[in-house]
Amino acid sequence: GAGVSQSPSNKVTEKGKDVELRCDPISGHTALYWYRQSLGQGLEFLIYFQGNSAPDKSGLPSDRFSAERTGGSVSTLTIQRTQQEDSAVYLCASSAGFIGELFFGEGSRLTVL
Amino acid sequence: SQELEQSPQSLIVQEGKNLTINCTSSKTLYGLYWYKQKYGEGLIFLMMLQKGGEEKSHEKITAKLDEKKQQSSLHITASQPSHAGIYLCGADAFSSGSARQLTFGSGTQLTVLP
């Protein structure tokens, strides 16, 4: 499709397990963002990729969180040793450049039991 | 980092009524975005404002940017049940480096009663 694609749409895991969330941005978009949205809360910035520049990881809540973007396209957000407080909807967005609107995916809902 | 405060946090209106949602920034606004989110779905882009005094409209939704007050308002005229959802404002706050800092408010939950 033409939009931002995220998978899985829903993930239920046990505490302590690792999870990987995938984001396929809009083709040609150089910027990619990960946000987290907890129930009833706004969007919490996690990480930002822009072209070949070093990513801005300032929003990652702990060293259990990491993300990579291969070939300037698909991105994977990895959460190691998941905790219950990691339960949230993880949203990915992409944009064509340094400014302008972000196009969001439908999100990956993570539930840690 | 930039903080965005939205008010009200939630709003319940009768169909046909007008309403306003505000978004106030703690820092200078370089770009202000309004998004709408339905429960369990992604964010839908509504409008982007970049210049002080700028006003944009889309159907019955109008947004304005007051640069001096570091504030934007979203106004819905003659609200309909289809307007229900969470409205989020987002703003650019460019850091000293090349990274783009795009932050969002906590959202305004709008319910429109038929």
Side-chain angles (χ1 to χ4, degrees):
Chain A
V4 177
S5 178
Q6 290 189 246
S7 62
S9 55
N10 275 288
K11 176 71 176 180
V12 180
T13 190
E14 293 180 347
K15 179 181 174 181
K17 300 286 187 181
D18 296 352
V19 296
E20 284 190 353
L21 307 176
R22 175 189 167 105
C23 174
D24 201 341
I26 292 174
S27 178
H29 279 190
T30 58
L32 187 147
Y33 312 74
W34 282 100
Y35 288 86
R36 178 169 71 173
Q37 187 176 34
S38 300
L39 186 64
Q41 302 296 313
L43 272 68
E44 176 188 4
F45 168 78
L46 297 177
I47 189 168
Y48 159 66
F49 297 89
Q50 172 64 52
N52 295 320
S53 302
D56 177 359
K57 304 179 181 180
S58 60
L60 295 178
S62 77
D63 58 9
R64 296 187 294 104
F65 287 72
S66 63
E68 62 177 23
R69 189 179 185 192
T70 53
S73 181
V74 173
S75 176
T76 302
L77 177 69
T78 301
I79 308 173
Q80 296 178 309
R81 306 180 302 282
T82 52
Q83 304 293 313
Q84 288 183 334
E85 60 263 28
D86 298 336
S87 296
V89 176
Y90 289 81
L91 290 162
C92 175
S94 69
S95 68
F98 194 53
I99 60 173
E101 69 180 279
L102 272 61
F103 295 82
F104 282 84
E106 296 288 315
S108 292
R109 181 176 297 278
L110 174 65
T111 303
V112 182
L113 301 177
Chain B
S1 62
Q2 181 165 43
E3 291 186 1
L4 294 173
E5 185 173 329
Q6 284 187 240
S7 62
Q9 291 185 333
S10 65
L11 192 56
I12 302 174
V13 300
Q14 203 70 41
E15 182 177 359
K17 296 293 186 182
N18 302 337
L19 62 104
T20 299
I21 299 169
N22 292 306
C23 175
T24 304
S25 171
S26 62
K27 295 187 176 181
T28 302
L29 288 168
Y30 293 102
L32 193 290
Y33 304 81
W34 282 101
Y35 284 84
K36 179 184 175 184
Q37 184 180 32
K38 290 279 193 181
Y39 176 77
E41 299 179 9
L43 278 68
I44 301 168
F45 172 77
L46 296 176
M47 275 170 278
M48 176 176 71
L49 305 167
Q50 288 188 293
K51 301 176 183 177
E54 187 173 13
E55 179 176 323
K56 287 187 177 179
S57 294
H58 175 68
E59 297 179 346
K60 294 185 178 179
I61 301 175
T62 301
K64 301 178 184 179
L65 179 63
D66 187 330
E67 211 169 47
K68 290 183 180 178
K69 292 183 179 179
Q70 296 177 175
Q71 183 179 75
S72 178
S73 59
L74 185 88
H75 185 76
I76 299 178
T77 303
S79 58
Q80 300 170 2
S82 61
H83 288 129
I86 300 171
Y87 288 81
L88 291 146
C89 65
D92 278 307
F94 295 102
S95 67
S96 57
S98 61
R100 178 186 187 184
Q101 300 286 335
L102 185 62
T103 57
F104 287 86
S106 57
T108 296
Q109 173 81 54
L110 173 63
T111 302
V112 181
L113 302 176

Short mmCIF file of all heavy atoms in Angstrom, two decimals, chain B residues 27-81:
data_model
loop_
_atom_site.label_atom_id
_atom_site.label_comp_id
_atom_site.label_asym_id
_atom_site.label_seq_id
_atom_site.Cartn_x
_atom_site.Cartn_y
_atom_site.Cartn_z
N LYS B 27 7.54 26.92 24.33
CA LYS B 27 8.63 27.52 23.58
C LYS B 27 8.13 28.07 22.25
O LYS B 27 6.98 27.86 21.87
CB LYS B 27 9.74 26.49 23.34
CG LYS B 27 10.43 26.01 24.60
CD LYS B 27 11.63 25.13 24.27
CE LYS B 27 12.36 24.74 25.54
NZ LYS B 27 13.56 23.91 25.24
N THR B 28 9.02 28.74 21.55
CA THR B 28 8.67 29.30 20.25
C THR B 28 8.20 28.21 19.30
O THR B 28 8.81 27.14 19.22
CB THR B 28 9.90 30.01 19.63
OG1 THR B 28 10.33 31.03 20.53
CG2 THR B 28 9.54 30.63 18.29
N LEU B 29 7.12 28.50 18.61
CA LEU B 29 6.57 27.55 17.66
C LEU B 29 7.15 27.77 16.27
O LEU B 29 7.07 28.87 15.72
CB LEU B 29 5.04 27.68 17.60
CG LEU B 29 4.26 27.17 18.81
CD1 LEU B 29 2.82 27.62 18.74
CD2 LEU B 29 4.35 25.65 18.89
N TYR B 30 7.72 26.73 15.70
CA TYR B 30 8.22 26.82 14.33
C TYR B 30 7.24 26.20 13.35
O TYR B 30 7.29 26.46 12.16
CB TYR B 30 9.57 26.12 14.22
CG TYR B 30 10.67 26.82 14.99
CD1 TYR B 30 11.09 26.35 16.22
CD2 TYR B 30 11.28 27.95 14.48
CE1 TYR B 30 12.09 26.98 16.94
CE2 TYR B 30 12.30 28.59 15.18
CZ TYR B 30 12.68 28.11 16.41
OH TYR B 30 13.67 28.75 17.10
N GLY B 31 6.41 25.34 13.83
CA GLY B 31 5.42 24.69 12.98
C GLY B 31 4.45 24.00 13.91
O GLY B 31 4.85 23.39 14.90
N LEU B 32 3.18 24.09 13.61
CA LEU B 32 2.16 23.51 14.50
C LEU B 32 1.26 22.62 13.66
O LEU B 32 0.80 23.03 12.57
CB LEU B 32 1.36 24.64 15.16
CG LEU B 32 0.43 24.35 16.33
CD1 LEU B 32 -0.81 23.55 15.93
CD2 LEU B 32 1.17 23.64 17.46
N TYR B 33 1.06 21.39 14.14
CA TYR B 33 0.29 20.41 13.40
C TYR B 33 -0.91 19.98 14.23
O TYR B 33 -0.81 19.83 15.45
CB TYR B 33 1.15 19.17 13.12
CG TYR B 33 2.43 19.47 12.39
CD1 TYR B 33 3.55 19.94 13.08
CD2 TYR B 33 2.55 19.28 11.02
CE1 TYR B 33 4.73 20.23 12.42
CE2 TYR B 33 3.73 19.55 10.36
CZ TYR B 33 4.81 20.03 11.06
OH TYR B 33 5.98 20.31 10.40
N TRP B 34 -2.02 19.78 13.56
CA TRP B 34 -3.20 19.21 14.22
C TRP B 34 -3.50 17.85 13.60
O TRP B 34 -3.54 17.71 12.38
CB TRP B 34 -4.41 20.12 14.07
CG TRP B 34 -4.39 21.31 15.00
CD1 TRP B 34 -4.03 22.59 14.70
CD2 TRP B 34 -4.74 21.31 16.38
NE1 TRP B 34 -4.14 23.39 15.80
CE2 TRP B 34 -4.58 22.63 16.85
CE3 TRP B 34 -5.20 20.33 17.28
CZ2 TRP B 34 -4.84 23.00 18.18
CZ3 TRP B 34 -5.45 20.70 18.59
CH2 TRP B 34 -5.28 22.02 19.02
N TYR B 35 -3.71 16.88 14.48
CA TYR B 35 -4.05 15.52 14.06
C TYR B 35 -5.32 15.09 14.79
O TYR B 35 -5.63 15.57 15.88
CB TYR B 35 -2.93 14.53 14.42
CG TYR B 35 -1.72 14.58 13.53
CD1 TYR B 35 -0.71 15.51 13.75
CD2 TYR B 35 -1.58 13.70 12.47
CE1 TYR B 35 0.41 15.55 12.94
CE2 TYR B 35 -0.45 13.73 11.66
CZ TYR B 35 0.53 14.66 11.89
OH TYR B 35 1.64 14.70 11.08
N LYS B 36 -6.00 14.12 14.18
CA LYS B 36 -7.16 13.51 14.81
C LYS B 36 -6.91 12.00 14.90
O LYS B 36 -6.37 11.40 13.99
CB LYS B 36 -8.43 13.77 13.99
CG LYS B 36 -9.68 13.15 14.57
CD LYS B 36 -10.85 13.37 13.63
CE LYS B 36 -12.09 12.65 14.12
NZ LYS B 36 -13.22 12.78 13.17
N GLN B 37 -7.32 11.43 16.01
CA GLN B 37 -7.13 10.00 16.22
C GLN B 37 -8.42 9.36 16.69
O GLN B 37 -9.03 9.80 17.66
CB GLN B 37 -6.03 9.76 17.26
CG GLN B 37 -5.68 8.31 17.47
CD GLN B 37 -4.58 8.12 18.51
OE1 GLN B 37 -4.46 8.89 19.44
NE2 GLN B 37 -3.76 7.09 18.33
N LYS B 38 -8.82 8.35 15.96
CA LYS B 38 -9.95 7.53 16.40
C LYS B 38 -9.38 6.43 17.29
O LYS B 38 -8.24 6.00 17.11
CB LYS B 38 -10.67 6.91 15.21
CG LYS B 38 -11.44 7.90 14.36
CD LYS B 38 -12.77 8.24 14.97
CE LYS B 38 -13.66 8.96 13.98
NZ LYS B 38 -14.96 9.31 14.57
N TYR B 39 -10.19 5.94 18.22
CA TYR B 39 -9.71 4.92 19.15
C TYR B 39 -9.13 3.73 18.39
O TYR B 39 -9.76 3.18 17.50
CB TYR B 39 -10.84 4.45 20.07
CG TYR B 39 -10.41 3.34 20.98
CD1 TYR B 39 -9.63 3.59 22.11
CD2 TYR B 39 -10.75 2.02 20.71
CE1 TYR B 39 -9.21 2.58 22.94
CE2 TYR B 39 -10.34 1.00 21.54
CZ TYR B 39 -9.58 1.28 22.65
OH TYR B 39 -9.15 0.27 23.47
N GLY B 40 -7.93 3.32 18.77
CA GLY B 40 -7.32 2.15 18.17
C GLY B 40 -6.78 2.34 16.77
O GLY B 40 -6.36 1.38 16.13
N GLU B 41 -6.77 3.58 16.31
CA GLU B 41 -6.29 3.83 14.95
C GLU B 41 -5.11 4.77 14.97
O GLU B 41 -4.76 5.35 16.00
CB GLU B 41 -7.41 4.41 14.10
CG GLU B 41 -8.62 3.49 13.95
CD GLU B 41 -9.71 4.12 13.11
OE1 GLU B 41 -9.46 5.18 12.50
OE2 GLU B 41 -10.80 3.54 13.07
N GLY B 42 -4.51 4.93 13.81
CA GLY B 42 -3.40 5.86 13.69
C GLY B 42 -3.89 7.29 13.67
O GLY B 42 -5.08 7.57 13.79
N LEU B 43 -2.97 8.21 13.52
CA LEU B 43 -3.29 9.63 13.50
C LEU B 43 -3.56 10.11 12.09
O LEU B 43 -2.84 9.76 11.16
CB LEU B 43 -2.14 10.44 14.09
CG LEU B 43 -2.07 10.54 15.61
CD1 LEU B 43 -1.73 9.21 16.23
CD2 LEU B 43 -1.07 11.60 16.03
N ILE B 44 -4.59 10.91 11.94
CA ILE B 44 -4.94 11.48 10.65
C ILE B 44 -4.56 12.95 10.66
O ILE B 44 -5.00 13.71 11.53
CB ILE B 44 -6.45 11.33 10.38
CG1 ILE B 44 -6.84 9.85 10.39
CG2 ILE B 44 -6.82 11.98 9.04
CD1 ILE B 44 -8.32 9.62 10.41
N PHE B 45 -3.75 13.34 9.69
CA PHE B 45 -3.31 14.73 9.60
C PHE B 45 -4.48 15.63 9.21
O PHE B 45 -5.24 15.33 8.29
CB PHE B 45 -2.20 14.82 8.55
CG PHE B 45 -1.78 16.21 8.21
CD1 PHE B 45 -0.97 16.93 9.07
CD2 PHE B 45 -2.19 16.82 7.03
CE1 PHE B 45 -0.56 18.21 8.76
CE2 PHE B 45 -1.79 18.10 6.71
CZ PHE B 45 -0.97 18.80 7.58
N LEU B 46 -4.63 16.74 9.94
CA LEU B 46 -5.67 17.71 9.63
C LEU B 46 -5.10 18.95 8.97
O LEU B 46 -5.48 19.31 7.87
CB LEU B 46 -6.42 18.11 10.92
CG LEU B 46 -7.21 17.02 11.63
CD1 LEU B 46 -7.80 17.55 12.92
CD2 LEU B 46 -8.30 16.46 10.72
N MET B 47 -4.20 19.63 9.69
CA MET B 47 -3.66 20.88 9.18
C MET B 47 -2.28 21.17 9.74
O MET B 47 -1.93 20.70 10.81
CB MET B 47 -4.59 22.04 9.56
CG MET B 47 -5.72 22.25 8.59
SD MET B 47 -6.93 23.42 9.21
CE MET B 47 -7.90 22.38 10.27
N MET B 48 -1.54 21.98 9.00
CA MET B 48 -0.24 22.45 9.46
C MET B 48 -0.22 23.98 9.37
O MET B 48 -0.63 24.54 8.35
CB MET B 48 0.88 21.86 8.61
CG MET B 48 2.26 22.38 8.97
SD MET B 48 3.58 21.59 8.03
CE MET B 48 3.31 22.27 6.40
N LEU B 49 0.24 24.63 10.41
CA LEU B 49 0.35 26.08 10.45
C LEU B 49 1.79 26.45 10.69
O LEU B 49 2.45 25.87 11.55
CB LEU B 49 -0.53 26.65 11.58
CG LEU B 49 -2.00 26.26 11.54
CD1 LEU B 49 -2.66 26.61 12.87
CD2 LEU B 49 -2.70 26.97 10.40
N GLN B 50 2.29 27.42 9.92
CA GLN B 50 3.70 27.77 10.06
C GLN B 50 3.94 29.23 10.37
O GLN B 50 4.98 29.58 10.92
CB GLN B 50 4.46 27.38 8.78
CG GLN B 50 4.63 25.88 8.61
CD GLN B 50 5.55 25.55 7.46
OE1 GLN B 50 5.22 25.78 6.31
NE2 GLN B 50 6.71 25.01 7.77
N LYS B 51 3.04 30.08 10.00
CA LYS B 51 3.29 31.51 10.17
C LYS B 51 2.33 32.11 11.18
O LYS B 51 1.16 31.72 11.26
CB LYS B 51 3.13 32.23 8.83
CG LYS B 51 4.06 31.72 7.76
CD LYS B 51 3.77 32.41 6.44
CE LYS B 51 4.66 31.85 5.33
NZ LYS B 51 4.34 32.47 4.02
N GLY B 52 2.83 33.07 11.91
CA GLY B 52 1.98 33.75 12.88
C GLY B 52 0.78 34.37 12.20
O GLY B 52 0.90 34.99 11.14
N GLY B 53 -0.38 34.18 12.78
CA GLY B 53 -1.61 34.73 12.23
C GLY B 53 -2.22 33.85 11.16
O GLY B 53 -3.32 34.13 10.67
N GLU B 54 -1.51 32.77 10.81
CA GLU B 54 -2.03 31.90 9.76
C GLU B 54 -3.31 31.21 10.22
O GLU B 54 -3.43 30.82 11.38
CB GLU B 54 -0.98 30.87 9.36
CG GLU B 54 -1.37 30.02 8.16
CD GLU B 54 -0.24 29.13 7.67
OE1 GLU B 54 0.76 28.98 8.41
OE2 GLU B 54 -0.35 28.58 6.56
N GLU B 55 -4.23 31.07 9.30
CA GLU B 55 -5.49 30.39 9.59
C GLU B 55 -5.81 29.48 8.42
O GLU B 55 -5.70 29.87 7.25
CB GLU B 55 -6.61 31.42 9.78
CG GLU B 55 -7.96 30.81 10.06
CD GLU B 55 -9.03 31.87 10.33
OE1 GLU B 55 -8.69 32.88 10.97
OE2 GLU B 55 -10.18 31.65 9.91
N LYS B 56 -6.16 28.24 8.75
CA LYS B 56 -6.52 27.28 7.70
C LYS B 56 -7.83 26.61 8.04
O LYS B 56 -8.16 26.43 9.22
CB LYS B 56 -5.41 26.22 7.54
CG LYS B 56 -4.17 26.75 6.87
CD LYS B 56 -3.20 25.62 6.58
CE LYS B 56 -1.98 26.14 5.84
NZ LYS B 56 -0.99 25.08 5.56
N SER B 57 -8.54 26.22 7.02
CA SER B 57 -9.83 25.56 7.22
C SER B 57 -9.92 24.31 6.38
O SER B 57 -9.39 24.25 5.27
CB SER B 57 -10.97 26.50 6.84
OG SER B 57 -11.04 27.59 7.71
N HIS B 58 -10.59 23.32 6.94
CA HIS B 58 -10.88 22.09 6.21
C HIS B 58 -12.29 21.69 6.60
O HIS B 58 -12.53 21.29 7.73
CB HIS B 58 -9.89 20.99 6.57
CG HIS B 58 -10.22 19.68 5.95
ND1 HIS B 58 -10.13 19.46 4.59
CD2 HIS B 58 -10.65 18.52 6.48
CE1 HIS B 58 -10.49 18.22 4.33
NE2 HIS B 58 -10.80 17.63 5.46
N GLU B 59 -13.18 21.82 5.66
CA GLU B 59 -14.60 21.56 5.92
C GLU B 59 -15.04 22.44 7.08
O GLU B 59 -14.99 23.64 7.00
CB GLU B 59 -14.82 20.07 6.14
CG GLU B 59 -14.47 19.27 4.89
CD GLU B 59 -14.65 17.79 5.04
OE1 GLU B 59 -14.81 17.31 6.17
OE2 GLU B 59 -14.64 17.09 4.01
N LYS B 60 -15.47 21.89 8.18
CA LYS B 60 -15.97 22.72 9.28
C LYS B 60 -14.95 22.92 10.39
O LYS B 60 -15.30 23.35 11.49
CB LYS B 60 -17.25 22.09 9.84
CG LYS B 60 -18.41 22.10 8.85
CD LYS B 60 -19.68 21.59 9.48
CE LYS B 60 -20.83 21.66 8.49
NZ LYS B 60 -22.10 21.15 9.07
N ILE B 61 -13.70 22.59 10.09
CA ILE B 61 -12.65 22.73 11.09
C ILE B 61 -11.70 23.85 10.68
O ILE B 61 -11.20 23.85 9.55
CB ILE B 61 -11.87 21.42 11.25
CG1 ILE B 61 -12.81 20.29 11.66
CG2 ILE B 61 -10.76 21.59 12.28
CD1 ILE B 61 -12.14 18.93 11.73
N THR B 62 -11.46 24.78 11.59
CA THR B 62 -10.57 25.91 11.35
C THR B 62 -9.51 25.95 12.43
O THR B 62 -9.82 25.81 13.61
CB THR B 62 -11.35 27.25 11.36
OG1 THR B 62 -12.35 27.21 10.36
CG2 THR B 62 -10.41 28.42 11.08
N ALA B 63 -8.28 26.17 12.02
CA ALA B 63 -7.19 26.28 12.99
C ALA B 63 -6.45 27.60 12.77
O ALA B 63 -6.27 28.05 11.64
CB ALA B 63 -6.22 25.11 12.84
N LYS B 64 -6.04 28.20 13.88
CA LYS B 64 -5.31 29.47 13.83
C LYS B 64 -4.03 29.35 14.64
O LYS B 64 -3.96 28.59 15.61
CB LYS B 64 -6.17 30.60 14.42
CG LYS B 64 -7.47 30.83 13.74
CD LYS B 64 -8.24 31.95 14.45
CE LYS B 64 -9.61 32.15 13.83
NZ LYS B 64 -10.37 33.22 14.53
N LEU B 65 -3.04 30.14 14.26
CA LEU B 65 -1.78 30.16 14.98
C LEU B 65 -1.49 31.57 15.46
O LEU B 65 -1.42 32.50 14.66
CB LEU B 65 -0.63 29.67 14.08
CG LEU B 65 0.76 29.66 14.70
CD1 LEU B 65 0.81 28.70 15.89
CD2 LEU B 65 1.81 29.26 13.66
N ASP B 66 -1.36 31.72 16.76
CA ASP B 66 -0.97 33.00 17.36
C ASP B 66 0.47 32.86 17.83
O ASP B 66 0.74 32.31 18.89
CB ASP B 66 -1.90 33.33 18.53
CG ASP B 66 -1.67 34.73 19.08
OD1 ASP B 66 -0.51 35.22 19.01
OD2 ASP B 66 -2.62 35.33 19.60
N GLU B 67 1.37 33.37 17.02
CA GLU B 67 2.79 33.18 17.29
C GLU B 67 3.23 33.88 18.58
O GLU B 67 4.03 33.35 19.34
CB GLU B 67 3.60 33.73 16.11
CG GLU B 67 4.92 33.03 15.85
CD GLU B 67 5.49 33.46 14.53
OE1 GLU B 67 5.54 34.66 14.24
OE2 GLU B 67 5.89 32.56 13.77
N LYS B 68 2.69 35.06 18.82
CA LYS B 68 3.08 35.83 20.00
C LYS B 68 2.68 35.11 21.28
O LYS B 68 3.43 35.08 22.26
CB LYS B 68 2.46 37.22 19.96
CG LYS B 68 3.06 38.12 18.89
CD LYS B 68 2.45 39.51 18.94
CE LYS B 68 3.06 40.40 17.86
NZ LYS B 68 2.45 41.77 17.85
N LYS B 69 1.50 34.53 21.28
CA LYS B 69 1.03 33.80 22.45
C LYS B 69 1.56 32.36 22.48
O LYS B 69 1.31 31.64 23.44
CB LYS B 69 -0.50 33.76 22.49
CG LYS B 69 -1.15 35.11 22.74
CD LYS B 69 -2.67 34.95 22.83
CE LYS B 69 -3.35 36.27 23.10
NZ LYS B 69 -4.83 36.14 23.16
N GLN B 70 2.25 31.97 21.43
CA GLN B 70 2.73 30.59 21.29
C GLN B 70 1.57 29.61 21.46
O GLN B 70 1.66 28.63 22.22
CB GLN B 70 3.85 30.30 22.31
CG GLN B 70 5.08 31.16 22.07
CD GLN B 70 6.18 30.96 23.10
OE1 GLN B 70 7.24 31.52 22.96
NE2 GLN B 70 5.93 30.18 24.13
N GLN B 71 0.50 29.91 20.74
CA GLN B 71 -0.72 29.16 20.93
C GLN B 71 -1.43 28.93 19.60
O GLN B 71 -1.37 29.77 18.70
CB GLN B 71 -1.64 29.94 21.88
CG GLN B 71 -2.94 29.26 22.25
CD GLN B 71 -3.74 30.12 23.21
OE1 GLN B 71 -4.33 31.12 22.81
NE2 GLN B 71 -3.76 29.74 24.47
N SER B 72 -2.11 27.80 19.52
CA SER B 72 -2.97 27.52 18.38
C SER B 72 -4.34 27.09 18.88
O SER B 72 -4.44 26.48 19.94
CB SER B 72 -2.37 26.43 17.50
OG SER B 72 -3.24 26.12 16.42
N SER B 73 -5.35 27.42 18.12
CA SER B 73 -6.70 27.00 18.48
C SER B 73 -7.32 26.27 17.31
O SER B 73 -7.07 26.60 16.15
CB SER B 73 -7.56 28.21 18.88
OG SER B 73 -7.64 29.13 17.81
N LEU B 74 -8.11 25.27 17.63
CA LEU B 74 -8.84 24.49 16.64
C LEU B 74 -10.32 24.69 16.92
O LEU B 74 -10.78 24.44 18.04
CB LEU B 74 -8.48 23.01 16.75
CG LEU B 74 -9.10 22.10 15.69
CD1 LEU B 74 -8.19 22.04 14.48
CD2 LEU B 74 -9.35 20.71 16.22
N HIS B 75 -11.03 25.14 15.93
CA HIS B 75 -12.45 25.46 16.10
C HIS B 75 -13.28 24.59 15.16
O HIS B 75 -12.99 24.50 13.97
CB HIS B 75 -12.68 26.94 15.80
CG HIS B 75 -14.07 27.39 16.05
ND1 HIS B 75 -14.56 27.61 17.32
CD2 HIS B 75 -15.10 27.63 15.20
CE1 HIS B 75 -15.82 27.98 17.25
NE2 HIS B 75 -16.17 28.01 15.98
N ILE B 76 -14.30 23.95 15.73
CA ILE B 76 -15.21 23.14 14.92
C ILE B 76 -16.58 23.81 14.95
O ILE B 76 -17.13 24.09 16.04
CB ILE B 76 -15.30 21.69 15.44
CG1 ILE B 76 -13.93 21.03 15.37
CG2 ILE B 76 -16.33 20.90 14.62
CD1 ILE B 76 -13.89 19.60 15.91
N THR B 77 -17.11 24.05 13.80
CA THR B 77 -18.42 24.69 13.67
C THR B 77 -19.48 23.63 13.40
O THR B 77 -19.27 22.73 12.59
CB THR B 77 -18.40 25.69 12.50
OG1 THR B 77 -17.35 26.64 12.72
CG2 THR B 77 -19.72 26.42 12.38
N ALA B 78 -20.61 23.76 14.09
CA ALA B 78 -21.73 22.83 13.89
C ALA B 78 -21.25 21.38 13.96
O ALA B 78 -21.33 20.63 12.99
CB ALA B 78 -22.42 23.12 12.56
N SER B 79 -20.77 20.99 15.13
CA SER B 79 -20.16 19.68 15.30
C SER B 79 -21.11 18.53 14.95
O SER B 79 -22.34 18.64 15.09
CB SER B 79 -19.68 19.51 16.75
OG SER B 79 -20.76 19.66 17.64
N GLN B 80 -20.50 17.45 14.47
CA GLN B 80 -21.23 16.25 14.09
C GLN B 80 -20.61 15.04 14.79
O GLN B 80 -19.44 15.09 15.19
CB GLN B 80 -21.15 16.05 12.57
CG GLN B 80 -21.74 17.20 11.78
CD GLN B 80 -21.41 17.08 10.30
OE1 GLN B 80 -20.78 16.12 9.86
NE2 GLN B 80 -21.85 18.06 9.53
N PRO B 81 -21.35 13.96 14.94
CA PRO B 81 -20.77 12.75 15.57
C PRO B 81 -19.48 12.29 14.90
O PRO B 81 -18.62 11.72 15.55
CB PRO B 81 -21.90 11.73 15.43
CG PRO B 81 -23.15 12.54 15.44
CD PRO B 81 -22.80 13.80 14.70
#
